[in-house]
């Protein structure tokens, strides 16, 4: 298996606070939360980065956003809203090269 921290979480070989999962997606609490609610949404299948995305990945990536909606509803942010963001590559601040979406909520942004 690829030596990837998020693949290990998906495979239950590393611990994580799992918040949501389905056949395509796993979501778990960020270990260093930067907002009152900070969840990482990752595809089960290892896709390194948006920088390497192909059309074959479109369904999987779409499933991550559908999961974001489910998490938002489940946590009571369905109307107030939340942020879903992704860091892409070195200049985009990506540290873990298993594509993931940051779901952050619970703090109104300034401006
Ligand atoms: P990136 O900068 O790659 O978009 O963000 C990686 C995120 O993953 C960071 O917010 C970091 O706190 C989180 N993170 C890194 N390693 C782990 C881990 O092993 N477990 C969990 N739950 N979060 C992690
Ligand atoms: Zn991986």
């Amino acid at each position: 298996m690829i030596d990837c921290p998020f693949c290990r979480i998906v495979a239950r070989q590393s611990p994580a606070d799992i918040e949501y999962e389905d056949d395509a997606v796993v979501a778990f609490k960020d270990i260093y939360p930067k907002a009152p609610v900070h969840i990482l949404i990752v595809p089960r299948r290892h896709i390194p980065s948006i920088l390497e995305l192909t059309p074959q990945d479109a369904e999987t990536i779409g499933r991550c956003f559908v999961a974001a909606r489910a998490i938002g509803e489940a946590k009571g942010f369905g109307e107030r809203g939340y942020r879903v963001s992704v860091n892409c590559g070195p200049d985009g601040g990506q540290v873990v090269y298993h594509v993931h979406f940051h779901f952050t909520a619970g703090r109104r942004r300034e401006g």
Side-chain angles (χ1 to χ4, degrees):
M1 196 169 99
I2 310 162
D3 188 25
C4 166
F6 291 175
C7 280
R8 280 199 294 275
I9 288 173
V10 167
R12 297 291 210 277
Q13 290 169 355
S14 294
D17 283 331
I18 309 272
E19 289 276 348
Y20 171 92
E21 64 182 322
D22 61 33
D23 61 311
V25 172
V26 177
F28 48 90
K29 286 196 175 110
D30 195 294
I31 202 166
Y32 300 117
K34 288 153 202 82
V37 176
H38 189 169
I39 295 167
L40 301 174
I41 302 169
V42 313
R44 287 187 184 274
R45 186 163 63 80
H46 182 87
I47 299 171
S49 172
I50 296 291
L51 302 191
E52 294 176 47
L53 215 55
T54 71
Q56 285 69 43
D57 300 323
E59 160 82 14
T60 303
I61 296 300
R63 294 287 299 274
C64 291
F65 282 96
V66 175
R69 184 193 172 174
I71 293 164
E73 302 269 342
K75 295 212 155 278
F77 295 102
E79 288 189 17
R80 275 183 289 165
Y82 42 84
R83 189 173 199 199
V84 180
S85 60
V86 53
N87 297 328
C88 309
D91 284 2
Q94 185 174 0
V95 174
V96 177
Y97 279 78
H98 179 133
V99 77
H100 52 280
F101 298 84
H102 295 259
F103 177 107
T104 50
R107 186 167 56 202
R108 190 181 287 272
R109 285 193 291 145
E110 302 298 322

